[in-house]
Amino acid sequence: MKKSLLTAALFGAVSMSAHAQSSVTLYGLIDAGLVYTNNQFGHSNWQEVSSSTQNTVFGLKGSEDLGGGLHAIFKLEQGFLLNNGAQAFSGDGFGSQAWVGLQSDPYGTLTFGRQFDVMNDLVGPLTAESNTWGGNMAAHPFENDNLAANSVVINNSVKYASPTYHGVTFETMYSFSNKAGNFANNRSYGFGLSYAQGPVNLAAGYLQLNGAGNGGGAVTSGDTSANFLAQRQRIWSLGGNYTYGPATVGLVWSHTQIDNASGVFSFGTGTYLGSDDASAGTLAGSLRLDNYEVNAKYALTPALSVSGAYTYTHGAYNGSSPGWNTGMLQTDYAISKRTDFYLEGVYQNVHGAPADSVLSHAMINTLSPSSSNTQVAVTVGMRHAF
């Protein structure tokens, strides 16, 4: 009898241990370098900066095996600026990501919290701006389509990601305003679909933001999570790339509709550029933007690569037709699996925008706006992942 009880107890302990297997990982990425810009508010500038290409972050992520192919998962991630230690999202303890959820091998993943949107998850990786070989500085004007490396993070969100079936993955999300009597103000929702099989990658998505920046809803302006302050922002995107040996070539299109806009944020200054900012002009009314990107990367050796991207952005704003030309070239050399050095140049020119509008000023992402319609920036930097 005693042997039977002991055997049962040991079997129970082993079973509990098997079902309680868990792991917690500390991780991060540091991106720092020097940037020369020919024009910021009318002056040339040398800067020591952080996150020119990839966001500088540290975080914790974990998983617990609940048995039967089910896992409890979480991620807590903070973005920061290496040069001064400041928070990337002002006032947020874990501004980059903060979520918890369940992952099922056969049924998919359901997560709750502050997360990246589904279009950023699936279409973003097909762009130069979301990758190490282009990154934040290569973003489309004003990061209008949220395809760069996770600059907009959405609060109060519930997201579902399907398992991958024959190369196809589906994601959808809904983000609450959390406002009594004002359910639709500052909420967000979207969906995305991707296909990856062999050398071919395709993806498409839709994202809508209602009243971004108002109060403590889905997207807030207090921590500069919002790109635009507007009544409504709708984004459609479609992209694909093809890999052949050491070469990858991609095409991306996105369409952004911004209704009743009142301003846009500059990621270089972290400040709102609206009617009270005489150096950048005003932004009011409806804005339509179509971004057409072609990008390419070529690995010369396993350690050395070159890449480039060109984006033409066509706009419609209060009877005008502004246009942007944005070009990027980068070379990167990895000295190990976790450490690399890069040299990147970005050029942007805007034409056709009203002279009294913020749109008439070139503004490479992460940098303060130019006083003219042209801006050129060159950065040399180092990245280290841990």
Side-chain angles (χ1 to χ4, degrees):
M1 181 67 177
K2 289 182 179 180
K3 290 183 179 180
S4 299
L5 289 173
L6 180 60
T7 301
L10 289 172
F11 180 80
V14 170
S15 298
M16 290 178 63
S17 175
H19 286 287
Q21 290 179 6
S22 62
S23 66
V24 176
T25 302
L26 172 67
Y27 70 94
L29 187 145
I30 298 171
D31 180 341
L34 300 176
V35 176
Y36 168 78
T37 312
N38 73 321
N39 187 323
Q40 291 185 19
F41 294 119
H43 304 279
S44 62
N45 195 15
W46 282 95
Q47 299 169 267
E48 181 187 338
V49 297
S50 179
S51 306
S52 288
T53 58
Q54 300 301 109
N55 294 340
T56 296
V57 300
F58 72 92
L60 294 168
K61 59 183 178 180
S63 174
E64 181 186 12
D65 186 353
L66 303 176
L70 186 65
H71 308 266
I73 56 175
F74 78 91
K75 181 173 283 190
L76 301 173
E77 183 178 286
Q78 172 66 302
F80 65 99
L81 306 180
L82 187 72
N83 48 310
N84 60 11
Q87 297 171 321
F89 296 92
S90 178
D92 294 345
F94 292 99
S96 292
Q97 297 185 72
W99 52 260
V100 66
L102 292 171
Q103 180 181 32
S104 167
D105 295 340
Y107 299 114
T109 302
L110 186 66
T111 51
F112 306 84
R114 180 175 168 89
Q115 307 177 72
F116 304 132
D117 70 79
V118 295
M119 195 169 67
N120 190 284
D121 288 346
L122 299 182
V123 184
L126 302 179
T127 69
E129 57 188 308
S130 186
N131 281 284
T132 58
W133 45 270
N136 294 325
M137 286 182 61
H140 303 156
F142 305 103
E143 227 287 83
N144 67 83
D145 50 13
N146 195 28
L147 291 177
N150 313 317
S151 64
V152 175
V153 193
I154 301 182
N155 299 323
N156 315 325
S157 60
V158 180
K159 180 162 68 173
Y160 169 75
S162 75
T164 301
Y165 183 73
H166 292 298
V168 176
T169 302
F170 171 75
E171 289 191 18
T172 187
M173 68 178 295
Y174 186 91
S175 304
F176 292 84
S177 68
N178 280 1
K179 295 181 180 179
N182 208 352
F183 184 81
N185 190 32
N186 201 351
R187 65 174 175 173
S188 174
Y189 51 88
F191 57 86
L193 185 69
S194 71
Y195 171 81
Q197 202 77 286
V200 177
N201 289 269
L202 303 170
Y206 174 78
L207 175 67
Q208 180 162 326
L209 309 173
N210 287 359
N214 297 326
V219 181
T220 61
S221 58
D223 62 2
T224 66
S225 289
N227 285 345
F228 290 88
L229 302 182
Q231 180 184 27
R232 182 175 62 180
Q233 181 175 355
R234 291 172 289 174
I235 306 170
W236 293 261
S237 65
L238 177 68
N241 66 29
Y242 184 83
T243 300
Y244 182 77
T248 300
V249 178
L251 295 171
V252 178
W253 165 81
S254 66
H255 174 75
T256 301
Q257 294 186 193
I258 303 168
D259 301 323
N260 295 327
S262 59
V264 61
F265 277 91
S266 164
F267 296 106
T269 62
T271 57
Y272 166 66
L273 302 179
S275 58
D276 58 345
D277 193 321
S279 64
T282 62
L283 182 65
S286 296
L287 175 64
R288 304 289 185 266
L289 296 165
D290 283 283
N291 305 280
Y292 305 91
E293 176 187 326
V294 56
N295 59 64
K297 178 190 175 184
Y298 188 85
L300 298 169
T301 72
L304 179 64
S305 67
V306 293
S307 59
Y310 168 75
T311 301
Y312 176 70
T313 302
H314 178 264
Y317 175 69
N318 293 349
S320 67
S321 299
W324 289 260
N325 295 284
T326 306
M328 178 278 300
L329 290 173
Q330 186 199 95
T331 182
D332 181 86
Y333 183 74
I335 62 173
S336 73
K337 290 183 178 180
R338 297 189 293 132
T339 303
D340 67 304
F341 294 87
Y342 61 85
L343 174 65
E344 179 170 322
V346 181
Y347 166 86
Q348 186 179 100
N349 171 270
V350 56
H351 58 273
D356 63 344
S357 164
V358 64
L359 305 180
S360 65
H361 298 260
M363 189 177 75
I364 294 171
N365 195 39
T366 76
L367 301 176
S368 299
S370 171
S371 64
S372 72
N373 67 338
T374 299
Q375 191 171 58
V376 178
V378 178
T379 179
V380 57
M382 172 184 176
R383 284 183 295 233
H384 176 73
F386 61 91

